[in-house]
Amino acid sequence: PGFTAEVVTDTMGNIVVYRVESLLAMANAARLYLVLRVFKERVLAGLPIRFTIAKFSSVDFGWTFACKHLLVGWGAVANLSLLWFSFICVSGYGLRVFEFSACQLPTTEAPSCSLQNASRWSLPGTDEFDAHDPDMLRINAVLWCFFITSTSVGYGDFYAKTHGGRTVTVVVTFVGIAFTALLTAALTNALVWSSAESKALLIAERERAKLR
């Protein structure tokens, strides 16, 4: 609070001005990885005396085991959906920071904002176009963009125009494909008969065969 500064960058021939406090806030959001420890403990909380079991069975109840345990039952679908949505929200915040130029703020004092390529952006091989409309960078629009991107649909109604935004989009694409595959695996695993259900079904089939 009370500190602000502007960083002028030239990205693909376009002038983009970043506010330092926005960049620092985005970097601070990366600390959410600390929540993953709590998430791991929550996943493994239902396993009694797991530390004793790990000592005698030589099984590491770490991230790998937690991820495998995460993909069991219908709870896996809810957990993966929550992780996916959380990742999209954090990434969407990063995209907004990179794609929004401070030149669109009335309080910006950077002299570079008076240049034409600060308001009229262009990409190699394309015509000039206006910088992102602030309405296009609303959180609902960004979440829509990343959901469509992470499922590899990609309508093209919104796309990144800066190096930072494109980097975030590439990461979201690969992670989103992984989440899609894991969610599909979780649904498949939840729909497979358990051993108890298979035995019960076999007994029912035998009893029905006796009645014929």
Side-chain angles (χ1 to χ4, degrees), residues 73-100:
W74 286 103
V77 179
N79 291 331
L80 284 172
S81 299
L82 178 61
L83 280 176
W84 191 0
F85 180 73
S86 301
F87 174 76
I88 288 179
C89 288
V90 175
S91 302
Y93 177 71
L95 180 68
R96 291 181 65 191
V97 171
F98 281 121
E99 293 293 302
F100 184 82

Side-chain angles (χ1 to χ4, degrees), residues 26-97:
M26 184 185 65
N28 190 49
R31 297 176 61 191
L32 286 175
Y33 78 92
L34 297 174
V35 179
L36 294 178
R37 296 183 180 180
V38 180
F39 186 79
K40 184 189 73 170
E41 293 300 323
R42 175 183 175 275
V43 172
L44 300 178
L47 300 178
I49 60 172
R50 65 177 185 272
F51 298 106
T52 304
I53 297 175
K55 182 178 180 180
F56 288 97
S57 63
S58 299
V59 175
D60 181 20
F61 287 85
W63 285 107
T64 303
F65 188 90
C67 291
K68 292 180 180 179
H69 189 65
L70 187 69
L71 297 177
V72 177
W74 286 103
V77 179
N79 291 331
L80 284 172
S81 299
L82 178 61
L83 280 176
W84 191 0
F85 180 73
S86 301
F87 174 76
I88 288 179
C89 288
V90 175
S91 302
Y93 177 71
L95 180 68
R96 291 181 65 191
V97 171

Side-chain angles (χ1 to χ4, degrees), residues 144-157 173 177 180:
W144 159 257
C145 168
F146 273 170
F147 177 76
I148 296 301
T149 301
S150 61
T151 54
S152 69
V153 177
Y155 288 120
D157 53 344
T173 301
I177 292 174
T180 304

Side-chain angles (χ1 to χ4, degrees), residues 1-209:
F3 171 78
T4 183
E6 296 171 346
V7 179
V8 181
T9 64
D10 187 340
T11 171
M12 294 180 284
N14 306 315
I15 298 297
V16 183
V17 179
Y18 294 120
R19 301 295 287 264
V20 170
E21 61 268 31
S22 298
L23 297 176
L24 293 178
M26 184 185 65
N28 190 49
R31 297 176 61 191
L32 286 175
Y33 78 92
L34 297 174
V35 179
L36 294 178
R37 296 183 180 180
V38 180
F39 186 79
K40 184 189 73 170
E41 293 300 323
R42 175 183 175 275
V43 172
L44 300 178
L47 300 178
I49 60 172
R50 65 177 185 272
F51 298 106
T52 304
I53 297 175
K55 182 178 180 180
F56 288 97
S57 63
S58 299
V59 175
D60 181 20
F61 287 85
W63 285 107
T64 303
F65 188 90
C67 291
K68 292 180 180 179
H69 189 65
L70 187 69
L71 297 177
V72 177
W74 286 103
V77 179
N79 291 331
L80 284 172
S81 299
L82 178 61
L83 280 176
W84 191 0
F85 180 73
S86 301
F87 174 76
I88 288 179
C89 288
V90 175
S91 302
Y93 177 71
L95 180 68
R96 291 181 65 191
V97 171
F98 281 121
E99 293 293 302
F100 184 82
S101 176
C103 290
Q104 296 172 286
L105 299 175
T107 57
T108 301
E109 300 178 355
S112 300
C113 289
S114 60
L115 300 176
Q116 182 179 4
N117 56 346
S119 58
R120 295 286 294 174
W121 290 359
S122 63
L123 295 177
T126 63
D127 296 330
E128 291 186 352
F129 49 83
D130 291 331
H132 278 304
D133 185 348
D135 289 337
M136 284 294 293
L137 291 176
R138 293 182 181 274
I139 189 62
N140 56 345
V142 174
L143 292 181
W144 159 257
C145 168
F146 273 170
F147 177 76
I148 296 301
T149 301
S150 61
T151 54
S152 69
V153 177
Y155 288 120
D157 53 344
F158 181 91
Y159 52 90
K161 302 176 183 178
T162 64
H163 290 306
R166 288 184 170 188
T167 301
V168 174
T169 304
V170 169
V171 173
V172 169
T173 301
F174 282 102
V175 176
I177 292 174
F179 268 118
T180 304
L182 289 174
L183 189 59
T184 303
L187 284 170
T188 303
N189 187 41
L191 293 174
V192 172
W193 295 110
S194 65
S195 57
E197 291 172 335
S198 298
K199 291 180 181 179
L201 184 62
L202 180 60
I203 294 174
E205 291 292 340
R206 288 178 178 175
E207 292 299 322
R208 185 172 63 177

